[in-house]
Amino acid sequence: MLELIREPWPWYIAGPLVGLTVPALLIIGNKSFGISASLRHTCAMCLPANIKFFNYDWKKEIWNMFFVFGILFGGVIAFSFLSNPNPIIIDGNLKTELAGYGVTEIYGMLPEQLFSWESLFTSRGFFMIVVGGFFIGFGSRYAGGCTSGHSISGLANLQMPSLIATCCFFIGGLIMANIILPFILSF
């Protein structure tokens, strides 16, 4: 049983499990799935300032905070006790392409040459980490939700704004991966 849990699950098992959280949340608690709202709830809890956006009864949404903490602790437990000890296999073509940008030490999911405290203070690292983080936060707020809220919950509820947001997320991802990222990596 432990070996089954240690291995990555195929999409046809993991996908439906994630997808079933949407109807479960709707049926059990009349709640919609999304993660970016938890940042708003956190700010409403911790910043008692008189800001209209944070002036609401956040206690009604406390379930969302438990959900996010569950994700966090589940990730910590999985990393600590269920990590696959084998090295991550990266396609040779990707290694060659990254080497062309000076990224040669790829030992994990996030190459330290791009995502570390040392790289944060380079122009490339600043754009990747700080500016990228800002755009993700801004985009989530501007779109009225994150990819999980729109692409999983919103589409399941047949909401047209979620379809538009999901299409924009996908197009933005393609532009980022194929145009903007190579430009940033060439610094």
Side-chain angles (χ1 to χ4, degrees):
M1 180 67 172
L2 191 58
E3 286 303 315
L4 178 66
I5 294 173
R6 281 184 186 255
E7 294 297 318
W9 291 1
W11 65 268
Y12 51 85
I13 293 175
L17 287 175
V18 171
L20 288 173
T21 60
V22 174
L25 284 170
L26 285 172
I27 292 169
I28 294 170
N30 197 25
K31 306 290 183 188
S32 57
F33 178 74
I35 302 300
S36 63
S38 62
L39 180 59
R40 180 181 183 207
H41 305 323
T42 303
C43 291
M45 283 188 279
C46 299
L47 302 172
N50 195 15
I51 300 172
K52 185 179 178 182
F53 184 68
F54 299 128
N55 253 347
Y56 67 97
D57 188 11
W58 57 266
K59 293 176 185 172
K60 289 183 180 177
E61 302 298 327
I62 197 72
W63 71 271
N64 191 269
M65 299 304 294
F66 284 107
F67 189 79
V68 170
F69 285 127
I71 292 171
L72 176 69
F73 291 128
V76 168
I77 289 169
F79 178 78
S80 300
F81 302 109
L82 302 173
S83 290
N84 188 340
N86 300 325
I88 296 171
I89 300 170
I90 297 174
D91 185 73
N93 293 332
L94 179 59
K95 282 185 180 181
T96 304
E97 185 176 346
L98 288 174
Y101 296 116
V103 180
T104 55
E105 297 176 22
I106 306 170
Y107 302 113
M109 294 296 283
L110 301 172
E112 287 190 24
Q113 290 169 308
L114 297 177
F115 301 99
S116 67
W117 287 108
E118 293 170 0
S119 71
L120 177 62
F121 298 108
T122 64
S123 58
R124 176 168 68 178
F126 182 81
F127 275 102
M128 297 273 295
I129 298 169
V130 177
V131 176
F134 170 79
F135 278 127
I136 288 175
F138 178 82
S140 292
R141 175 64 192 118
Y142 188 71
C146 59
T147 52
S148 60
H150 280 299
S151 301
I152 298 173
S153 186
L155 289 180
N157 290 322
L158 302 176
Q159 296 177 2
M160 182 57 75
S162 291
L163 177 62
I164 294 168
T166 300
C167 290
C168 291
F169 293 150
F170 186 74
I171 292 168
L174 288 173
I175 291 170
M176 177 61 193
N178 294 296
I179 299 171
I180 299 172
L181 183 62
F183 176 73
I184 291 172
L185 291 176
S186 66
F187 276 86

